[in-house]
Amino acid sequence: MSSYKDKKVITIGIVSELTGLSERKIRYYEERKLIYPERSKGGTRKYSFLDVERLLDIANKMEDGMQTFEIRKMEQKQMQKKEVRDRMLRGQLNAAFNIRK
């Protein structure tokens, strides 16, 4: 079951109001592969509350002087660490319950 925070239901105009970022800047972050909105059948971008939080985090990092490629690289490292941790946990659970693939 997904959280309401995961549902992509917020339009770019509302995201702009919530974050204080211009629509142009939000689209720029999408171009730079930092945010991934869904598209409605009519092509309207739809964001989640998690996307809003993410955009605020990106904006803070940019204000601190980070570049978009640095943010993306840092996030890729975090994802790799999470994947390694998840594999280790799965392995430990499989071993604890004698589950074989």
Side-chain angles (χ1 to χ4, degrees), residues 15-21 26 29 34-35 48-64 71 75:
V15 170
S16 178
E17 285 185 49
L18 290 171
T19 61
L21 298 170
I26 295 166
Y29 292 152
L34 293 173
I35 193 86
S48 68
F49 286 101
L50 289 176
D51 291 332
V52 171
E53 291 173 5
R54 179 155 170 56
L55 282 164
L56 290 169
D57 185 51
I58 292 166
N60 286 333
K61 288 176 180 170
M62 296 287 291
E63 239 178 69
D64 289 343
I71 296 169
E75 289 170 354

Side-chain angles (χ1 to χ4, degrees), residues 24-59:
R24 183 171 179 256
K25 188 161 274 191
I26 295 166
R27 286 190 291 270
Y28 172 74
Y29 292 152
E30 178 185 357
E31 288 171 18
R32 302 299 296 163
K33 309 279 189 234
L34 293 173
I35 193 86
Y36 301 93
E38 287 181 4
R39 297 284 185 135
S40 70
K41 289 180 183 173
T44 303
R45 289 172 173 86
K46 297 288 188 170
Y47 299 87
S48 68
F49 286 101
L50 289 176
D51 291 332
V52 171
E53 291 173 5
R54 179 155 170 56
L55 282 164
L56 290 169
D57 185 51
I58 292 166

Side-chain angles (χ1 to χ4, degrees), residues 54-91:
R54 179 155 170 56
L55 282 164
L56 290 169
D57 185 51
I58 292 166
N60 286 333
K61 288 176 180 170
M62 296 287 291
E63 239 178 69
D64 289 343
M66 289 187 79
Q67 301 292 318
T68 56
F69 77 91
E70 293 173 307
I71 296 169
R72 195 170 46 252
K73 195 176 208 178
M74 187 173 67
E75 289 170 354
Q76 287 170 344
K77 282 184 182 179
Q78 288 172 340
M79 287 300 291
Q80 288 170 345
K81 285 181 183 179
K82 184 184 180 312
E83 288 171 11
V84 167
R85 187 182 68 233
D86 289 351
R87 277 194 301 246
M88 287 174 50
L89 287 171
R90 271 195 303 277

